[in-house]
């Protein structure tokens, strides 16, 4: 087991929609695990074994299977304080509330919560429960710095995120309607200046069906970033 761990490399795997799995030397990080009921999900909620779950906001296509997965695995749930407190009220025992602008050093590395222009709520019996501000994450592991934008429109402070955190990888929504679309996501890439920009939050539903290859062409022709389009289940 020790040999295996020593040989282990960090990996980023796309699970569909906005869900990603980051494997690190100090535990696996699952972001926005919308797997059950997600037509684009590459695996089911019983096939992930995270140590940490990062949640950008409370919408069902991001909260997803968080409660079931943490009950089964004991994974620590990290996210905006109101959302995490809501989950604690649902019996989730391992929680770590944070907030935008805050940072904390975990065993896997340092985590920063960033601004996102969006909403955040959970619907129960037809009633909205407000779950604070939505966020994005910058994850600095031993090997890589990765930005997951969450659901957001484009905003000029994106430039500050890129300046504070030189990025290897930026995960950006491109599907429009609920978030920025292709052209606004291209502006975000220009401000972030990552080595690689990976599109997410498109194609899962008809209303966010866009062509990721168009995003790739625009990014690779007007910035120095690579733009790999990952299929659900594919590792970068
Ligand atoms: Ni949302
Ligand atoms: Mn969403």
């Amino acid at each position: 087991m020790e040999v295996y761990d020593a040989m282990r490399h960090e990996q980023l795997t796309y699970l569909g929609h906005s869900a990603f799995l980051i494997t690190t030397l100090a535990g696996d990080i699952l972001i926005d695990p919308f797997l059950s009921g997600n037509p684009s999900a590459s695996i089911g909620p019983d096939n992930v074994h995270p140590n940490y779950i990062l949640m950008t906001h409370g919408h069902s296509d991001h909260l997803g299977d968080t409660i079931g997965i943490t009950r089964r695995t004991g994974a620590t749930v990290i996210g905006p304080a109101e959302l995490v407190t809501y989950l604690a009220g649902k019996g989730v025992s391992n929680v770590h509330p944070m907030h935008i602008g805050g940072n904390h050093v975990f065993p896997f590395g340092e985590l920063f919560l960033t601004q996102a222009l969006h909403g955040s709520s959970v619907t129960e019996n037809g009633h909205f429960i407000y779950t604070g501000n939505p966020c994005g994450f910058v994850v600095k592991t031993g090997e890589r710095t990765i930005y997951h934008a969450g659901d957001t429109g484009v905003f000029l402070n994106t430039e500050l995120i890129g300046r504070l955190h030189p990025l290897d990888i930026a995960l950006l929504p491109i599907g429009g309607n609920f978030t920025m679309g292709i052209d606004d996501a291209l502006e975000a890439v220009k401000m972030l200046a990552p080595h690689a920009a990976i599109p997410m939050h498109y194609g899962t539903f008809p209303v966010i069906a866009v062509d990721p290859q168009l995003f790739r062409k625009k990014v690779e022709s007007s910035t120095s970033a690579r733009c790999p389009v990952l299929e659900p289940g594919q590792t970068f």
Side-chain angles (χ1 to χ4, degrees), residues 17-18 57 59 61-62 118 151 178-179 201:
H17 201 56
S18 293
H57 64 295
H59 292 160
D61 59 321
H62 299 262
H118 196 65
D151 275 3
F178 300 112
T179 68
H201 210 272

Side-chain angles (χ1 to χ4, degrees), residues 125-201:
N125 306 319
H127 294 283
F128 281 111
I129 298 170
Y130 172 66
T131 48
N133 285 316
C135 75
F137 294 106
V138 172
V139 185
K140 287 185 182 174
T141 65
E143 294 181 10
R144 296 271 184 279
T145 300
I146 300 169
Y147 170 52
H148 186 298
D151 275 3
T152 186
V154 71
F155 51 92
L156 270 177
N157 283 350
T158 297
E159 190 182 331
L160 184 60
I161 296 171
R163 202 191 312 161
L164 291 172
H165 311 289
L167 296 177
D168 293 295
I169 301 168
L171 311 172
L172 298 170
I174 65 163
N177 194 78
F178 300 112
T179 68
M180 53 188 165
I182 287 173
D183 289 331
D184 285 357
L186 175 63
E187 290 302 312
V189 175
K190 290 175 182 173
M191 288 187 274
L192 293 165
H195 293 306
I198 296 175
M200 63 178 182
H201 210 272

Side-chain angles (χ1 to χ4, degrees), residues 30-203:
L30 183 59
I31 307 177
D32 284 359
F34 170 47
L35 303 174
S36 303
N38 173 2
S40 74
S42 61
I43 57 175
D46 292 337
N47 298 326
V48 288
H49 311 279
N51 304 90
Y52 304 91
I53 301 175
L54 310 188
M55 297 222 45
T56 61
H57 64 295
H59 292 160
S60 58
D61 59 321
H62 299 262
L63 177 66
D65 300 292
T66 294
I67 292 174
I69 293 171
T70 186
R71 278 200 184 129
R72 179 173 54 80
T73 63
T76 300
V77 180
I78 307 167
E82 294 87 347
L83 175 58
V84 162
T85 302
Y86 165 82
L87 292 173
K90 294 287 164 190
V92 174
S93 51
N94 270 340
V95 294
H96 187 113
M98 294 181 66
H99 236 303
I100 294 166
N103 62 308
H104 186 78
V105 177
F106 292 91
F108 61 79
E110 190 165 16
L111 181 70
F112 301 76
L113 262 65
T114 62
Q115 176 187 2
L117 293 184
H118 196 65
S120 183
S121 63
V122 175
T123 308
E124 276 185 13
N125 306 319
H127 294 283
F128 281 111
I129 298 170
Y130 172 66
T131 48
N133 285 316
C135 75
F137 294 106
V138 172
V139 185
K140 287 185 182 174
T141 65
E143 294 181 10
R144 296 271 184 279
T145 300
I146 300 169
Y147 170 52
H148 186 298
D151 275 3
T152 186
V154 71
F155 51 92
L156 270 177
N157 283 350
T158 297
E159 190 182 331
L160 184 60
I161 296 171
R163 202 191 312 161
L164 291 172
H165 311 289
L167 296 177
D168 293 295
I169 301 168
L171 311 172
L172 298 170
I174 65 163
N177 194 78
F178 300 112
T179 68
M180 53 188 165
I182 287 173
D183 289 331
D184 285 357
L186 175 63
E187 290 302 312
V189 175
K190 290 175 182 173
M191 288 187 274
L192 293 165
H195 293 306
I198 296 175
M200 63 178 182
H201 210 272
Y202 65 91

